[in-house]
């Protein structure tokens, strides 16, 4: 190749490199939002140059950036055609991903799958809902954070400034403004005690889906097997769905404390497996794997767990409470000592939401 062609080719290649470099330069910070657990954030930056062809749509190309809020550093970036498409990005346990052309960005630390599912269920946040009970309808509106009002079908306000309301058989359980439990009947008349909760009518279907689980073992593993069928048929199609290495396992069983579990759609049972390691316990679920605790209480529903002398309810709360009482319908009383020497008391509901009174200063070491 002649020298002049080499020079022309070199100049052309340099121009391409320069154009590409300019095309990667972005500026600004737009649409910042956080991951479901708050340990990451994402934001967009727009192209400084070459904003066509989307600028006529009041949009521009650019990059999406993943920022680690705990380590205070940028994790990674990926180009995107229109920065407004940041709303079409999704979180998995291990990645920030897009259903479009953007490259996935791997997370340095996992986000718990349960947190992601709760995040998706609460987006957009539900600000109003309706109760139907024995021919009556009540509308619940969130006036402000944990301040609710309840009105009837014609708009009359029946209750206001309450923190929580849940329907129970033949009535309602309410947490009032003073964080105290109250009970009401189906007409929202206040009661001195909880309403009768006996089910007045219970329908049982005939031929329904039936489930059978067994814990089998070989020399090395306990194997969890499951079969699904119908009431009128014997189940034979067992499939292995999980396994636990036998090393250091003292005992293993379902919540009925047996190696077999049978139920059907008329009476759903929890498929959790309890692993007794002697000095500590594991709870195995198909969805979350094994979680470890110092002790567990299977006599309470939900399961009360303890770790480092602090209590919680499995898959509802973390183990952070110094005292945690059994659920009274849909609320459980807690006591929590904070690091600043204050005691926080209140209630949690079965979704893990907390309702508490103003903290009281005290010396927890006396």
């Amino acid at each position: 190749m002649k020298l002049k062609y080499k020079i022309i080719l070199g100049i052309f290649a340099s121009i391409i490199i320069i154009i590409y470099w300019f095309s990667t330069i972005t500026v600004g910070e737009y649409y910042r939002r956080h991951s479901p657990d708050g340990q990451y954030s994402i934001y967009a930056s727009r192209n400084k140059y070459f904003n066509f062809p989307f600028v006529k749509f009041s949009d521009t190309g650019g990059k999406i950036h993943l920022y680690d809020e705990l380590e205070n550093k940028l994790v990674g970036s990926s180009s995107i055609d229109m920065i407004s498409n940041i709303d079409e990005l999704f979180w998995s346990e291990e990645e920030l991903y897009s259903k479009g052309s953007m490259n996935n960005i791997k997370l340095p630390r996992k986000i718990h799958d349960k947190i992601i599912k709760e995040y998706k269920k609460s987006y957009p946040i539900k600000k109003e809902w309706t109760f139907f009970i024995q021919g009556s309808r009540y509308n619940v509106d969130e006036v402000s954070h944990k301040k609710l009002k309840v009105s009837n079908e014609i708009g009359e306000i029946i209750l206001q400034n309450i923190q929580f309301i849940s329907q129970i058989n033949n009535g309602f359980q309410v947490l009032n403004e003073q964080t105290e439990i109250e009970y009401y009947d189906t007409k929202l008349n206040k009661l001195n005690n909880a309403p009768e909760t006996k089910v007045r009518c219970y329908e049982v279907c005939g031929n329904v889906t039936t489930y059978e689980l067994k814990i089998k073992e070989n020399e090395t593993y306990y194997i969890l097997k499951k079969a699904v069928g119908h009431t009128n048929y014997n189940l034979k199609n067992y499939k292995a769905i999980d396994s636990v290495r036998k090393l250091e396992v003292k005992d293993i069983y379902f919540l009925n404390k047996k190696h077999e579990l049978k139920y059907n759609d008329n009476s759903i049972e929890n498929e959790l497996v309890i692993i007794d390691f002697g000095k500590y316990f594991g709870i195995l679920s198909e969805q979350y794997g094994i979680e470890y605790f110092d002790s567990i209480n299977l006599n309470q529903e939900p399961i009360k767990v303890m770790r480092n002398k602090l209590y919680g309810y499995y898959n509802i709360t973390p183990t952070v409470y110094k005292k945690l009482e059994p659920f009274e319908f849909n609320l459980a009383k807690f006591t929590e000592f904070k690091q600043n020497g204050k005691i926080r008391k209140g209630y949690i509901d079965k979704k893990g939401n907390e309702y508490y009174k103003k903290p009281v200063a005290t010396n927890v070491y006396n």
Side-chain angles (χ1 to χ4, degrees):
M1 183 182 294
K2 293 183 178 180
L3 178 61
K4 67 175 182 178
Y5 293 118
K6 289 183 179 180
I7 294 174
I8 293 172
L9 184 60
I11 294 173
F12 180 74
S14 299
I15 292 173
I16 295 297
I17 292 171
I18 292 170
I19 291 174
Y20 174 77
W21 180 74
F22 273 100
S23 71
T24 62
I25 298 174
T26 60
V27 293
E29 184 178 305
Y30 305 89
Y31 310 119
R32 182 182 283 272
R33 57 188 177 88
H34 290 78
S35 64
D37 59 356
Q39 63 174 320
Y40 306 106
S41 66
I42 56 172
Y43 64 92
S45 61
R46 65 176 180 83
N47 289 333
K48 187 174 182 179
Y49 310 101
F50 311 120
N51 285 326
F52 56 91
F54 300 112
V55 68
K56 66 179 179 180
F57 300 111
S58 300
D59 208 338
T60 177
K63 291 182 179 180
I64 298 297
H65 306 278
L66 175 65
Y67 189 81
D68 190 326
E69 295 287 344
L70 301 184
E71 298 290 338
N72 293 317
K73 64 180 183 181
L74 190 66
V75 174
S77 303
S78 183
S79 298
I80 194 167
D81 292 334
M82 300 172 68
I83 62 174
S84 64
N85 287 343
I86 192 172
D87 291 329
E88 297 179 7
L89 303 184
F90 304 91
W91 301 93
S92 71
E93 286 188 84
E94 299 181 343
E95 290 183 322
L96 173 71
Y97 68 95
S98 167
K99 293 181 179 179
S101 59
M102 193 195 90
N103 293 326
N104 297 353
I105 305 175
K106 191 169 182 62
L107 305 178
R109 299 173 304 277
K110 287 186 178 181
I111 300 175
H112 199 293
D113 183 63
K114 182 182 178 182
I115 296 175
I116 296 172
K117 289 182 179 179
E118 290 298 321
Y119 175 80
K120 290 178 179 177
K121 280 167 41 178
S122 65
Y123 183 80
I125 298 172
K126 195 175 183 180
K127 296 294 185 182
E128 58 182 46
W129 60 96
T130 302
F131 286 119
F132 293 92
I133 183 169
Q134 295 184 18
S136 299
R137 186 183 77 184
Y138 301 101
N139 300 314
V140 184
D141 293 280
E142 185 176 345
V143 180
S144 61
H145 180 61
K146 291 184 180 176
K147 294 292 183 182
L148 310 176
K149 71 174 183 180
V150 183
S151 54
N152 60 19
E153 294 183 56
I154 61 175
E156 294 175 331
I157 297 176
I158 311 298
L159 298 172
Q160 58 184 340
N161 293 327
I162 63 173
Q163 299 185 57
F164 172 86
I165 183 170
S166 66
Q167 185 175 331
I168 57 179
N169 290 335
N170 310 317
F172 295 92
Q173 184 182 42
V174 168
L175 203 59
N176 65 21
E177 191 174 7
Q178 288 74 43
T179 321
E180 299 167 338
I181 292 179
E182 296 177 342
Y183 292 98
Y184 292 80
D185 64 14
T186 58
K187 301 298 181 183
L188 281 180
N189 298 308
K190 190 175 179 180
L191 301 171
N192 292 326
N193 300 296
E196 178 189 0
T197 57
K198 184 178 180 180
V199 179
R200 295 175 181 172
C201 180
Y202 182 69
E203 245 180 57
V204 177
C205 296
N207 189 24
V208 295
T209 304
T210 300
Y211 309 87
E212 292 189 11
L213 293 94
K214 294 181 179 180
I215 299 173
K216 297 292 185 179
E217 61 179 299
N218 57 29
E219 292 183 1
T220 310
Y221 292 94
Y222 292 103
I223 302 170
L224 178 61
K225 294 187 174 184
K226 183 177 181 179
V228 180
H230 289 85
T231 307
N232 298 335
Y233 299 92
N234 292 324
L235 298 183
K236 296 180 180 180
N237 58 330
Y238 282 90
K239 294 182 179 179
I241 60 173
D242 214 329
S243 63
V244 176
R245 192 174 180 86
K246 295 176 71 173
L247 185 66
E248 297 184 354
V249 174
K250 181 179 177 182
D251 200 358
I252 185 169
Y253 44 83
F254 295 106
L255 295 184
N256 60 4
K257 298 187 178 180
K258 298 179 181 180
H259 285 197
E260 292 188 7
L261 177 67
K262 299 180 181 180
Y263 68 92
N264 60 46
D265 284 340
N266 285 324
S267 181
I268 301 297
E269 296 285 344
N270 203 318
E271 297 183 357
L272 297 177
V273 175
I274 306 302
I275 309 167
D276 183 352
F277 291 97
K279 294 183 179 180
Y280 60 97
F281 293 84
I283 301 180
L284 169 65
S285 74
E286 186 176 358
Q287 186 174 7
Y288 304 122
I290 300 178
E291 296 184 54
Y292 300 92
F293 304 95
D294 294 334
S295 69
I296 57 177
N297 186 345
L298 300 183
N299 297 321
Q300 289 188 210
E301 175 62 36
I303 300 171
K304 187 176 180 179
V305 294
M306 188 269 285
R307 186 187 289 129
N308 297 325
K309 298 183 179 179
L310 296 174
Y311 296 92
Y313 279 112
Y314 176 72
N315 263 351
I316 294 179
T317 74
T319 51
V320 295
Y321 302 106
K322 191 68 176 179
K323 295 181 181 178
L324 188 58
E325 298 185 12
F327 270 92
E328 183 177 331
F329 295 104
N330 296 312
L331 292 167
K333 185 182 292 186
F334 70 80
T335 300
E336 181 182 11
F337 289 123
K338 306 297 288 183
Q339 290 182 347
N340 58 8
K342 293 182 178 181
I343 295 177
R344 192 170 70 166
K345 294 185 177 182
Y347 290 89
I348 56 169
D349 63 24
K350 289 191 174 180
K351 293 182 179 179
N353 299 313
E354 295 181 333
Y355 309 85
Y356 53 90
K357 299 180 180 181
K358 187 177 179 179
V360 179
T362 185
N363 187 347
V364 299
Y365 302 104
N366 286 343

